[in-house]
Amino acid sequence: MKFLPSVHLPCHPWMAMVILPLLLLLVPLAAAQWSSCSKSDDYKSNSTYVANLSLLSSTLPKKAASSTTLFATSIMGNFPDIVYALTLCRGDSNASACESRVTTAFQDLLRLCPYKKNAAVYYDPCMLKFSNKNFLATTTVNDPLFIVNTKNFTTNADITQRLLFTLINSMAQLAANSLRRFTTSRLDVGSSPTLYCLMQCMPDLIPHDCESCFQDILNSTLEYLGGKQGGRVLGTRCYMRYEMYPFFQGDPKLRIINLAPHVPTINNTTTPATVYPQSQPPDAAPPPEGKVTVQEHNGKVSINNQAATNRPEEYALVWRLEERSSEFTLFDFPEILQATHNFSKENLLGQGGFGPVYKG
């Protein structure tokens, strides 16, 4: 199957915004995360493997941040305690944010997969994997593979399959041939739902291997995500995310205005995947109802959720607000949900004048 590029686009969606004063200091956003831990190959708390992981956790974030592609691999130690590691930050990230996120990923992965020699964690902005086996030598293996989806479209199922096929088919070649193996797009075809998409490969892949990886992403998307309003296919070597609202920084690099005439027969032999039925972590609690209000109060954020949480097309990001104003920082509603773990009880600090106060 040949991937074909598309054309450029500005975007102009309806926007739902939450504004915070710039002086408000928040800890790093607790982004949705999906992790994979080996069932065997444990290490001991005082082992050389732990020492090697500790060295990696202090060097790999800086190595990724100093790379023009925000990508890094590393090998630490000697057999039998050797550790192989790989990390990548999303193509619209910056160096300082990347270093912070990879550092947090190490901390979270050690907590999520204690004493496991093989582990991986995926966030929206970055991923990290380490192992005692040399997975770095195999650029064609994209596991562990996670599929994350949202609720169904009301649109005809055949049309949604064509929408998803058109998205990935149009973007793959452009992403594979870019420096960061990364691109974004907006699909805006007639009366069909507007979709935004992001695709990225590991920058150490040659374009051909990157396109092959995207072919597997396409197969998994059509198998698992057909008819869904949004979703992610997250792998070690490449990944894809699409939504009905813009979720990445900057304008989309492509505008896609024509649907593919049909969806060709797809090879159903896909990489085994772990499927999550929602975009938030599986243990996330539903947010409370009410309206959105945000205020600064002793370094905390007071938020009452909006009843429109199921209207994702109204969620949009104004990413360049800080460039135009020194007074405000803008966060979209999904970010607020992630920052508070979906308004979880663990993040509830108390009651303020504008409603419940949550830690973000």
Side-chain angles (χ1 to χ4, degrees):
M1 185 180 302
K2 184 174 178 60
F3 291 113
L4 301 174
S6 276
V7 290
H8 217 70
L9 147 83
C11 54
H12 184 65
W14 190 92
M15 302 201 169
M17 300 181 295
V18 178
I19 300 178
L20 299 175
L22 256 188
L23 295 178
L24 176 61
L25 300 178
L26 295 175
V27 298
L29 288 177
Q33 63 187 16
W34 299 271
S35 60
S36 173
C37 316
S38 60
K39 295 181 179 179
S40 57
D41 294 326
D42 292 3
Y43 61 82
K44 296 182 178 179
S45 59
N46 59 349
S47 67
T48 304
Y49 200 86
V50 173
N52 290 336
L53 277 178
S54 179
L55 286 172
L56 275 175
S57 68
S58 64
T59 58
L60 195 64
K62 293 180 174 60
K63 187 176 180 181
S66 65
S67 166
T68 56
T69 57
L70 302 181
F71 166 77
T73 62
S74 191
I75 304 173
M76 192 67 67
N78 300 295
F79 182 84
D81 296 302
I82 191 168
V83 187
Y84 302 89
L86 173 152
T87 191
L88 174 69
C89 293
R90 214 168 70 181
D92 58 344
S93 299
N94 59 54
S96 61
C98 181
E99 182 174 351
S100 174
R101 288 163 178 166
V102 177
T103 299
T104 300
F106 263 109
Q107 296 168 352
D108 287 350
L109 200 49
L110 295 176
R111 172 179 56 83
L112 294 165
C113 301
Y115 308 115
K116 298 299 182 183
K117 288 186 177 181
N118 299 281
V121 64
Y122 299 87
Y123 297 91
D124 191 51
C126 74
M127 67 82 57
L128 169 69
K129 179 178 179 178
F130 63 74
S131 176
N132 64 334
K133 298 178 175 62
N134 188 10
F135 69 95
L136 301 177
T138 307
T139 60
T140 57
V141 177
N142 200 33
D143 62 341
L145 190 69
F146 290 165
I147 311 292
V148 187
N149 60 55
T150 58
K151 65 180 183 179
N152 292 331
F153 277 118
T154 57
T155 310
N156 179 279
D158 290 339
I159 294 296
T160 62
Q161 288 287 85
R162 286 175 63 194
L163 289 171
L164 295 177
F165 172 78
T166 302
L167 265 179
I168 298 174
N169 183 66
S170 300
M171 296 174 65
Q173 192 175 65
L174 179 64
N177 286 283
S178 67
L179 174 63
R180 289 191 173 184
R181 306 287 187 260
F182 168 84
T183 198
T184 57
S185 75
R186 172 178 169 173
L187 184 148
D188 192 6
V189 181
S191 60
S192 298
T194 298
L195 295 178
Y196 299 84
C197 188
L198 175 153
M199 292 171 61
Q200 187 167 18
C201 282
M202 295 298 152
D204 63 337
L205 295 187
I206 63 172
H208 176 270
D209 288 346
C210 182
E211 287 193 54
S212 295
C213 194
F214 285 146
Q215 179 65 58
D216 292 338
I217 291 287
L218 174 59
N219 294 344
S220 296
T221 300
L222 296 181
E223 180 176 353
Y224 294 107
L225 297 176
K228 300 297 182 181
Q229 291 188 7
R232 299 170 172 90
V233 181
L234 306 170
T236 303
R237 286 297 175 181
C238 63
Y239 64 93
M240 179 279 303
R241 178 184 176 187
Y242 74 95
E243 304 286 356
M244 292 180 66
Y245 56 90
F247 58 91
F248 44 77
Q249 299 223 34
D251 293 333
K253 300 179 185 298
L254 290 175
R255 181 183 182 185
I256 304 169
I257 58 174
N258 295 306
L259 275 182
H262 66 279
V263 178
T265 302
I266 299 297
N267 179 6
N268 289 326
T269 304
T270 56
T271 303
T274 301
V275 181
Y276 289 106
Q278 53 189 7
S279 287
Q280 298 300 325
D283 58 349
E289 294 187 0
K291 67 176 183 178
V292 175
T293 57
V294 180
Q295 74 175 78
E296 181 184 1
H297 180 68
N298 294 330
K300 308 296 190 302
V301 184
S302 172
I303 308 170
N304 288 335
N305 189 10
Q306 190 177 26
T309 55
N310 291 324
R311 294 183 300 187
E313 197 164 15
E314 295 182 356
Y315 303 154
L317 311 182
V318 184
W319 292 103
R320 295 194 173 96
L321 185 64
E322 289 184 38
E323 298 175 9
R324 302 196 298 268
S325 171
S326 62
E327 297 181 37
F328 297 101
T329 299
L330 188 83
F331 296 88
D332 73 324
F333 196 71
E335 283 186 305
I336 298 297
L337 291 177
Q338 292 176 357
T340 60
H341 284 181
N342 255 18
F343 302 96
S344 66
K345 292 181 180 179
E346 290 77 11
N347 283 53
L348 181 62
L349 298 174
Q351 191 77 13
F354 288 84
V357 178
Y358 291 87
K359 178 176 63 176

